[in-house]
């Protein structure tokens, strides 16, 4: 599509400013099961999102039909959209920042140059390696998926930014059975450096998660000291991340409203948003509004220091955008709880009686970012006198997320990003309500 | 849309190596959405999606590719790339496409694309007003409106060639009730395979909005739910999510075929209480999960999954039928051209039994009455499920007592199905979006009021 022509047509129709956000993706998905290539998918897609200011309102439209024939559809849709909006928020098309930090390792050409056959073989090897680790392992689903993501932002104020990112995930989903009980485990690595996919290690971790959980039973209901393992803690944080969005705060649906400068957690906890994290596909020097991204601490030693902003919400609070304007709203880039010093093993050893919660299910339905209350299905291990006694399943863990942050007694050094961009180390919590079988 | 000749050429190109089946899925979709928050229209968005998915298979093994391009060059290249996964060569296949079959059911009377955006916005305003007027404690209301027209053309190397148009619309209302101590949300989101007539002929927007506010208001005064094992009465309508999550997913060929489901190899066996008969029916006129054809181009149908407690049928797509050596049930569905189809649910429900609602409540001395369910999920390998209850009450001495909040039901599907000990006669369905291997698709869940003799309830208080 000729963007110049689109901008001209927009101007003729009295659209004050206009911006296009063009995305081109290529994808490769591989899945191996029972010694067979179960899934092989290749994709090549392009999409265009357009926003424009008409009569002081922001109109939007998106299309996958991208040619000069849809220029009128785009312009008319932007106007129809703007005409129906009655939000009085001030809206912006951004002229750009003077400096955008270089992020040089977003795209690794070598990853793309490894041929598809080699990547398929990697998945076969992952399955084989995992299966041979333990006879209780009944089935292994091995996967490799890779994406190359190109973005270009162009607007009528002269901004023209682009980036290319690539990333791959390799892992195993393991089913183990001892004849009576059946359990699952998952392990994966995300990177854009092909050599990072250590088959042996992924296989070992995945196998361990499934096999160790065999024979899991419920426990007696009550309050227990809990270590929330890194991935479980990350999924709980992910369910509550909208609390940190200035949009939620301004709309009065955030528990963190009016709490800047207050202690919202134990001093042990610091939470950051890091757009420059290595090997993350979420990293980059600009957001979808064209604003330069920045590294920032949202919680500094327990104290809430700020929210995540896009242009619109920043204007309302008379601050600058934090470069978190993504997809017409606000999203974090790489958002995580800073790791502490204690090792996970030491943290377990210092526990007299408690639980390790290694997995939480249903975080999309059993949490409320409005109230902070959660009640979730969990599984993990019972710990007594510093030792893992047995696996546990079919329990629920309930609480309030802000209370959890206040009750953290230890932060481990094992930070893990959970499928992408939200991460946490394992954290120890004084007490959580557990519902079991009696 | 593509020329018949080009479709044939692409399907033939995919069979130039050793594959024995090829399929093309062409999608052209127009969507409109609008959202309101704090009584202001925040966002109005039109979108147009167009893409093509090509699937190539040998036996039950398949590869898939998709693109937004509709040029002959790009499509032939994609077909050829995919064909390379099945090395070898065969005589050139001449594919003869049959006559285009066009779906004729589930028609919409008023196409959403012919309705002006301002009339859709009026719905948001009416819902917002009704939700706020319900009670003084309602301090925030979110309303989302969505409609789409999904046009698909599906053709395969067996000559099957179909066209279907799915017109769907939904309005979703979220109300927040607040006092000094707490904030609670209520949600209600009715929808259907309907055009804009849905809002004049099928539902009353004000009543639907009030329902969201009613739930939020009741839950505001609720105490924490108790925890422990107890009888649970799950109400009709969205309560059917228990069956959808706990059993429905485990009856899909996606998990049954590779032997990953707890119900693998159990056809003809008793897997549920004899009171349970469960149906998956993609033909219900204008229902949310209905269509003329599945996304592999086969006519939708009605499947009896469980008959009087005995497993009668799985939900099986074309390739898994080969793999399982079982009959295809025309259950192939997908969100869009970006997904290869696989076995999925449509409108899935537990059928009516004989008890009345009052009989079920009065037969329960102590337990939980789960009036409105939230969402949930299941691990098909273990059958472990969890789902949240968005509106719950305790039952004491056979009567509905005080409301309780924060309850989660957990258990295993196989166990819960066997423990259903009462089934009501008030079947009702409700709308949901179901996410799985082939994306997020509209599905109806449903059931009459049922009682499960024992489920673990997760709450924050000890049982009393």
């Amino acid at each position: 599509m000729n963007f110049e022509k689109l901008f001209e047509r927009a101007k003729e129709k009295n659209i004050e400013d206009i911006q296009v956000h063009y995305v081109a993706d290529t994808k490769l998905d591989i899945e191996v099961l029972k010694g067979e290539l179960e899934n092989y998918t290749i994709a090549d897609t392009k999409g265009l999102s357009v926003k424009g200011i008409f009569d002081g309102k922001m109109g939007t439209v998106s299309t996958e039909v991208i040619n000069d024939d849809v220029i009128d559809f785009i312009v008319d849709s932007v106007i129809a959209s703007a005409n129906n909006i009655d939000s009085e928020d001030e809206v912006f098309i951004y002229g750009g920042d003077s400096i955008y930090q270089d992020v040089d390792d977003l795209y690794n050409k070598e990853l793309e140059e490894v041929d598809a056959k080699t990547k398929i073989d990697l998945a076969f090897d992952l399955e084989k390696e995992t299966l041979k680790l333990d006879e209780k392992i009944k089935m292994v689903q091995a996967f490799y998926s890779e994406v190359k993501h190109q973005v270009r932002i162009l607007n009528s104020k002269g901004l023209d930014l682009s980036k290319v990112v690539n990333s791959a995930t390799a892992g195993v989903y393991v089913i183990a059975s001892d004849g009576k009980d059946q359990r699952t485990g998952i392990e994966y690595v995300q990177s854009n450096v092909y050599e990072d996919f250590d088959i042996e290690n992924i296989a070992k971790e995945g196998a361990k998660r499934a096999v160790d959980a065999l024979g899991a039973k419920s426990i007696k209901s009550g309050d227990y000291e809990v270590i929330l393992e890194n991935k479980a803690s990350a999924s709980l944080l992910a369910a509550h991340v909208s609390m940190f969005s200035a949009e939620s705060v301004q709309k009065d649906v955030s528990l963190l409203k009016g709490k800047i400068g207050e202690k919202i957690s134990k001093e042990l906890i610091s939470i950051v948003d890091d757009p420059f994290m290595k090997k993350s596909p979420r990293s980059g020097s600009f957001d979808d509004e064209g604003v330069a991204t920045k590294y920032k601490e949202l919680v500094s030693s327990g104290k809430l220091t700020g929210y995540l902003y896009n242009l619109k919400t920043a204007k309302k609070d008379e601050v600058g955008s934090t470069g978190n304007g993504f997809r017409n709203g606000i999203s974090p880039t790489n958002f995580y709880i800073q790791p502490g010093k204690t090792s996970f093993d030491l943290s377990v050893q210092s526990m007299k009686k408690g639980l390790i919660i290694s997995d939480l299910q249903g975080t999309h339905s059993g949490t409320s970012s409005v109230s902070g209350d959660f009640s979730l299905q969990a599984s993990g291990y019972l710990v007594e006198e510093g030792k893992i006694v047995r696996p546990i399943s079919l329990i629920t863990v309930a609480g309030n997320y802000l209370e959890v942050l206040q009750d953290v007694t230890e932060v481990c050094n094992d930070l893990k990003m959970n499928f992408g961009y939200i991460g946490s180390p394992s954290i120890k919590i004084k007490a959580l309500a557990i519902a079991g079988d009696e | 849309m593509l020329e018949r000749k080009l479709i044939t050429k692409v399907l033939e190109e995919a069979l130039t190596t050793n594959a024995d089946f090829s399929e093309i899925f062409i999608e052209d979709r127009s969507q409109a959405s609008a959202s309101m928050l704090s009584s202001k229209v925040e966002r109005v968005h039109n979108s147009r999606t167009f893409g093509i998915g090509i699937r190539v298979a040998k036996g039950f093994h398949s590869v898939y590719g998709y693109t937004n391009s509709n040029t002959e060059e790009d499509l032939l290249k994609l077909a050829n790339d995919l064909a390379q996964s099945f090395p070898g060569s065969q005589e050139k296949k001449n594919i003869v496409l049959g006559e285009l079959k066009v779906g004729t059911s589930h028609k919409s009377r008023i196409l959403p694309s012919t309705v002006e955006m301002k009339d859709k916005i009026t719905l948001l305003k009416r819902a917002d007003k009704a939700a706020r007027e319900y009670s003084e404690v309602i301090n925030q209301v979110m309303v989302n409106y969505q409609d789409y027209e999904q046009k698909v053309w599906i053709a395969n190397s067996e000559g099957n060639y179909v066209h279907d148009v799915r017109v769907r619309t939904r309005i979703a209302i979220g109300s927040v009730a607040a006092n000094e101590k707490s904030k609670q949300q209520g949600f209600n989101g009715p929808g259907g395979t309907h055009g804009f007539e849905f809002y004049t002929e099928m539902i009353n927007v004000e009543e639907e909005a009030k329902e969201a506010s009613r739930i939020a208001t009741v839950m505001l005064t609720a105490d924490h739910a108790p925890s422990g094992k107890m009888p649970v009465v799950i109400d009709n309508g969205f309560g059917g999510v228990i069956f959808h999550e706990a059993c429905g997913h485990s009856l899909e060929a996606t998990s049954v075929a590779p032997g990953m489901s707890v119900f693998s190899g159990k056809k003809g066996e008793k897997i549920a209480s004899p009171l349970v008969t469960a149906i998956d029916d993609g033909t219900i006129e204008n229902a949310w999960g209905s269509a003329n054809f599945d996304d592999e181009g086969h006519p939708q149908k009605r499947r009896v999954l469980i008959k009087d407690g005995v497993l009668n049928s799985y939900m099986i797509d074309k390739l898994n039928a080969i793999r399982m050596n079982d009959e295809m049930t025309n259950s192939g569905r997908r969100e869009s051209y970006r997904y290869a189809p696989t076995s999925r649910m449509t409108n899935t429900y537990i059928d009516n039994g004989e008890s009345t609602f009052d009989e079920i409540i009065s037969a329960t001395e102590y337990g939980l009455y789960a009036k409105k369910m939230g969402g949930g999920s299941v691990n098909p390998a273990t059958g472990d499920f969890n789902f949240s209850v968005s509106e719950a009450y305790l039952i004491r001495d056979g009567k509905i007592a005080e409301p309780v909040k924060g309850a989660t039901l957990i258990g295993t599907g196989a166990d819960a199905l066997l423990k259903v000990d009462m089934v009501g006669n008030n079947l009702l369905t409700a709308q949901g979006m179901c996410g799985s291997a082939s994306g997020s698709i509209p599905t109806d869940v449903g059931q009459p009021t049922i009682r499960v003799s024992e489920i673990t309830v997760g709450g924050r208080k000890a049982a009393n």
Side-chain angles (χ1 to χ4, degrees), chain A residues 50-68:
Chain A
V50 181
K51 56 181 183 177
I53 301 177
F54 181 82
D55 206 9
K57 310 288 185 195
M58 184 73 82
T60 61
V61 62
S62 55
T63 178
E64 291 176 347
V65 179
I66 306 171
N67 57 44
D68 289 359

Side-chain angles (χ1 to χ4, degrees), chain B residues 79-151:
Chain B
N80 189 278
D81 282 353
L82 292 167
Q84 300 316 312
S85 299
F86 303 98
S89 62
Q90 58 183 325
E91 244 173 76
K92 185 179 183 304
K93 292 239 169 86
N94 272 324
I95 294 169
V96 183
L97 282 192
E99 193 141 327
L100 181 69
K101 286 174 263 180
V102 180
T104 53
S105 296
H106 317 294
K107 288 275 188 214
S108 69
R109 288 205 308 95
I110 307 171
L111 273 183
S113 56
T114 64
V115 177
E116 280 195 55
M117 187 55 88
K118 69 172 173 32
D119 295 329
K120 299 173 185 175
I121 301 290
T122 304
L123 295 177
L124 298 184
K125 293 184 173 164
R126 281 170 54 198
D128 178 76
K129 185 162 183 280
R132 286 177 188 276
E133 283 175 359
Y134 179 81
S135 162
E136 280 176 0
V137 296
I138 300 295
N139 81 333
Q140 184 57 283
V141 175
M142 291 147 264
V143 194
N144 287 299
Y145 168 88
Q146 188 200 65
D147 64 52
Y148 67 76
E149 295 173 37
Q150 182 202 34
K151 298 178 194 155

Side-chain angles (χ1 to χ4, degrees), chain B residues 13-39:
Chain B
E13 181 68 25
L15 298 186
T16 46
T17 57
N18 211 11
D20 57 21
F21 175 76
S22 59
E23 173 197 81
I24 186 166
F25 178 87
I26 305 158
E27 178 181 15
D28 189 347
R29 172 173 161 141
S30 297
Q31 179 164 328
S33 61
S35 61
M36 181 171 236
L37 186 72
S38 304
S39 303

